[in-house]
């Protein structure tokens, strides 16, 4: 996912599966970060700290700052709207046990 800093962006999350998934966006993990430490790292370095975020759908609706995790229920979709401010490349991951290890990760680049 690539967005432009200062321009409102929208990410659509679609869960076609039969179990809940979560989406976290955070600083790229340091080499050697353990699975157990990854969730804590993601919370501490959440891209959404201090950013106004609006989430509609996914089985929940939230709005505010300092959101660090977005959950999407099985068979649901959600729209995440925010204006990115920090430039760089960040990791997107589902940190539910086994999901990240199965490849549920990607990247967010803000230019």
């Amino acid at each position: 996912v690539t967005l432009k800093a200062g321009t409102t962006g929208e990410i659509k999350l679609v869960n076609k599966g039969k179990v809940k998934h979560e989406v976290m966006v955070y600083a790229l993990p340091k080499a050697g970060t353990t699975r157990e430490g990854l969730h804590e790292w993601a919370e501490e370095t959440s891209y959404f700290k201090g950013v106004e975020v609006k989430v509609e759908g996914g089985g929940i609706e939230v709005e505010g700052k300092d959101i660090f995790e977005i959950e999407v229920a099985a068979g649901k979709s959600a729209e995440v709207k925010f204006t990115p401010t920090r430039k760089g490349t960040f990791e997107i991951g589902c940190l539910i046990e086994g999901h990240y290890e199965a490849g549920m990760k990607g990247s967010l680049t803000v230019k």
Side-chain angles (χ1 to χ4, degrees):
V1 176
T2 301
L3 298 174
K4 184 177 177 184
T7 302
T8 300
E10 181 177 313
I11 300 173
K12 184 163 186 170
L13 307 170
V14 180
N15 182 352
K16 294 181 180 179
K18 296 182 180 183
V19 298
K20 171 181 77 174
H21 291 284
E22 68 180 17
V23 176
M24 299 178 82
V25 181
Y26 45 89
L28 296 174
K30 296 178 183 177
T33 301
T34 64
R35 166 69 182 95
E36 295 77 24
L38 186 56
H39 198 278
E40 185 177 324
W41 172 260
E43 285 185 27
E44 289 175 7
T45 66
S46 173
Y47 187 85
F48 297 126
K49 279 188 177 181
V51 175
E52 189 69 34
V53 180
K54 183 172 186 177
V55 181
E56 296 176 328
I60 59 164
E61 289 188 26
V62 276
E63 188 171 346
K65 293 185 177 183
D66 299 332
I67 295 171
F68 63 87
E69 176 182 298
I70 300 161
E71 294 183 354
V72 183
K76 301 286 184 179
S77 62
E79 294 176 356
V80 182
K81 298 176 185 177
F82 65 101
T83 302
T85 55
R86 266 187 297 160
K87 294 180 180 180
T89 299
F90 306 86
E91 187 165 83
I92 301 170
C94 177
L95 302 184
I96 293 174
E97 190 170 336
H99 293 205
Y100 183 86
E101 295 83 358
M104 292 184 189
K105 58 185 172 179
S107 64
L108 167 67
T109 301
V110 179
K111 296 182 177 186

